[in-house]
């Protein structure tokens, strides 16, 4: 399953919930305000690093750039919508709004 | 692959409509088919033809109408539309109003259905 | 259609009732789609569990009370109704506080069922 998250982790528990349901290896796609989870140096970074041990984590680069996020947690793949589509080709989508 | 798209949120207030549009554009570029787009909840506002944003902003309803002109089936849920005052008089060309049965059909016929919304 | 395998569709309810319309319009979608003889299931996770809370009284609020309508899911043969145990417990609830009988399960068990679906619809 591909888990998609579009809310800031400082605002909602959607990322947390998705990780509770995600099995090891499930990819996580962060887009819209969800990309704030990849900002380095925040209180969320340890949780993000834990998530990266079990899941490939992707973030839409256009959303990252639009928000002025320049320091990204190491290991996160920045990608475009074509890559998002590529993940949906391979996985059932579980959206966490 | 055949993709179905469900949009649950209105235009402008949140990014959902833009994300859905970007996803569809990328899917088409990768050679996929968009089996249909279904608007539910506040998503029905996306196709209001009275939309008139400033010139330097995107016109979201026009974008959906243009996708409809390309032959993509763009459907607005009738129950959600009625509740919100959206009817055939105010929708852009190339979209249609129909029932939730269409969402079920989209779910059945698509290889993947992906939802964009805000929640 | 008769020979075709039924499509598995799961509604994933994660929002409380009344504060937003998602739960209510989600229910409307469940009821319509339930009439088309596909395999519909519903999972209540996070604040979604509040949707099934007994004793909702919306009279003074002036909005529709729809929790009782979930009782009609049975009539549509929608009996696979799952509730996430942790969400329930975090909110001080148990299955007895809910308006319909449900299967209380661990997240991992619900996730396995999710994986077997053709589509997941969030509400």
């Amino acid at each position: 399953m591909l888990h998609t998250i579009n809310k800031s982790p400082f605002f909602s528990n959607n990322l947390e919930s998705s990780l509770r349901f995600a099995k090891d290896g499930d990819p996580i796609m962060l887009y819209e305000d969800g990309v704030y989870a990849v900002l380095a140096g925040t209180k969320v970074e340890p949780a993000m690093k834990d998530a990266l041990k079990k899941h490939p984590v992707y973030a839409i680069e256009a959303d990252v750039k639009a928000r002025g996020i320049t320091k990204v947690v190491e290991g996160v793949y920045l990608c475009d919508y074509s890559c998002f589509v590529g993940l949906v080709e391979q996985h059932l989508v579980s959206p966490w709004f | 692959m055949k993709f179905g798209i469900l949009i649950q949120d209105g235009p402008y207030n949140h990014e959902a409509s833009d994300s859905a549009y970007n996803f569809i554009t990328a899917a088409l570029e990768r050679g996929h088919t968009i089996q249909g787009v279904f608007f539910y909840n506040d998503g029905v506002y996306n196709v209001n033809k009275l939309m008139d944003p400033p010139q330097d902003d995107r016109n979201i309803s026009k974008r959906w109408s243009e996708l409809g002109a390309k032959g993509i089936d763009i459907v607005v849920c009738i129950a959600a539309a009625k509740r919100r005052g959206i009817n055939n008089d105010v929708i852009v060309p190339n979209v249609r109003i129909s029932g939730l049965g269409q969402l079920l059909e989209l779910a059945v016929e698509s290889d993947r259905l992906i939802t964009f919304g805000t929640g | 259609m008769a020979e075709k395998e039924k499509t598995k569709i799961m509604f994933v309810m994660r929002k409380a009732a009344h504060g937003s319309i998602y739960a209510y319009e989600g229910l409307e979608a469940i009821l319509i789609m339930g009439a088309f003889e596909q395999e519909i299931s519903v999972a209540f996770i996070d604040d979604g569990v509040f949707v099934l809370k007994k004793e909702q009284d919306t009279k003074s609020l002036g909005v529709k009370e729809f929790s009782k309508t979930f009782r009609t899911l049975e009539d549509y043969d929608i009996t696979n109704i799952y509730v996430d145990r942790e969400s329930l417990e975090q909110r001080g609830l148990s299955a007895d506080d809910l308006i319909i009988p449900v299967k209380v399960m661990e997240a991992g068990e619900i996730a396995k069922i999710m994986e077997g679906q053709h589509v997941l619809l969030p509400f």
Side-chain angles (χ1 to χ4, degrees):
Chain A
M1 260 193 304
L2 170 69
H3 303 266
T4 65
I5 292 107
N6 70 341
K7 293 284 193 318
S8 162
F10 306 99
F11 171 74
S12 93
N13 70 344
N14 290 355
L15 176 60
E16 221 180 297
S17 286
S18 72
L19 291 171
R20 212 154 58 73
F21 282 78
K23 77 164 192 290
D24 288 6
D26 277 0
I28 310 288
M29 170 56 77
L30 304 164
Y31 68 115
E32 301 177 7
D33 284 346
V35 301
Y36 283 115
V38 309
L39 179 60
T42 71
K43 72 164 188 181
V44 173
E45 184 170 353
M48 196 73 250
K49 283 187 166 158
D50 276 350
L52 279 160
K53 287 176 195 156
K54 296 177 187 165
H55 308 282
V57 177
Y58 300 83
I60 292 291
E61 192 169 18
D63 281 318
V64 169
K65 280 187 171 170
R67 286 159 178 80
I69 298 170
T70 49
K71 285 180 192 159
V72 172
V73 175
E74 209 177 312
V76 172
Y77 301 107
L78 297 184
C79 75
D80 59 10
Y81 267 91
S82 181
C83 141
F84 192 164
V85 173
L87 288 166
V88 177
E89 288 164 14
Q90 294 168 48
H91 302 274
L92 169 73
V93 185
S94 175
W96 297 85
F97 295 150
Chain B
M1 270 184 139
K2 289 185 285 185
F3 286 126
I5 310 289
L6 168 63
I7 299 175
Q8 296 179 321
D9 199 41
Y12 302 110
N13 235 28
H14 295 103
E15 206 180 332
S17 180
D18 296 291
S19 299
Y21 184 79
N22 289 332
F23 184 91
I24 290 167
T25 307
L28 292 171
E29 275 170 12
R30 284 174 77 99
H32 295 297
T33 303
I34 302 298
Q35 184 73 18
V37 179
F38 191 88
F39 289 106
Y40 194 44
N41 307 112
D42 272 4
V44 300
Y45 290 128
N46 273 281
V47 296
N48 188 334
K49 72 175 178 190
L50 302 176
M51 223 174 261
D52 188 17
Q55 272 190 350
D56 60 352
D57 200 355
R58 69 239 186 265
N59 186 319
I60 288 182
S61 64
K62 199 171 151 220
R63 258 182 355 191
W64 292 119
S65 182
E66 283 165 3
L67 278 183
K70 284 186 186 170
I72 294 173
D73 191 22
I74 303 198
V75 182
V76 182
C77 170
I78 190 163
K82 276 180 82 101
R83 181 172 276 136
R84 293 167 177 83
I86 299 293
N87 61 25
N88 280 319
D89 297 337
V90 297
I91 62 173
V92 289
N94 315 316
V95 308
R96 63 190 180 97
I97 297 178
S98 189
L100 274 164
Q102 295 288 303
L103 174 59
L104 183 99
E105 207 168 281
L106 189 59
V108 172
E109 288 173 357
S110 302
D111 298 308
R112 296 261 188 256
L113 189 138
I114 172 164
T115 306
F116 292 90
T118 300
Chain C
M1 283 300 274
E3 297 133 37
K4 265 179 117 181
E5 222 176 286
K6 288 182 178 179
T7 301
K8 290 185 176 180
I9 299 170
M10 180 189 268
F11 286 78
V12 182
M13 314 286 281
R14 290 186 55 243
K15 311 245 193 341
H18 315 306
S20 74
I21 199 166
Y22 294 102
Y24 181 54
E25 286 192 324
L27 173 63
E28 286 190 333
I30 293 169
L31 294 177
I32 300 279
M33 290 169 77
F36 285 82
E37 311 217 325
Q38 302 297 333
E39 203 174 319
I40 307 284
S41 59
V42 191
F44 292 88
I45 298 168
D46 294 326
D47 277 353
V49 303
F50 283 135
V51 173
L52 297 180
K53 171 90 180 57
K54 278 179 185 166
E55 297 171 314
Q56 295 182 42
D57 178 359
T58 61
K59 263 186 235 95
S60 45
L61 188 61
V63 299
K64 201 154 158 178
E65 203 297 287
F66 59 91
S67 68
K68 290 180 188 69
T69 312
F70 279 96
R71 288 180 180 147
T72 63
L73 294 189
E74 242 191 319
D75 305 335
Y76 293 84
D77 290 325
I78 301 171
T79 52
N80 287 325
I81 300 172
Y82 313 106
V83 170
D84 169 44
R85 181 189 305 279
E86 190 172 319
S87 302
L88 208 53
E89 283 173 1
Q90 280 177 346
R91 288 160 181 78
L93 301 173
S94 73
D96 294 338
D97 296 302
L98 307 182
I99 196 155
I100 50 169
V102 298
K103 295 168 184 158
V104 178
M105 297 169 90
E106 304 303 328
E109 296 174 281
I110 296 176
K112 276 202 189 107
I113 300 167
M114 287 168 111
E115 275 170 2
Q117 303 295 311
H118 183 60
V119 170
L120 300 170
L121 294 177
F123 279 98

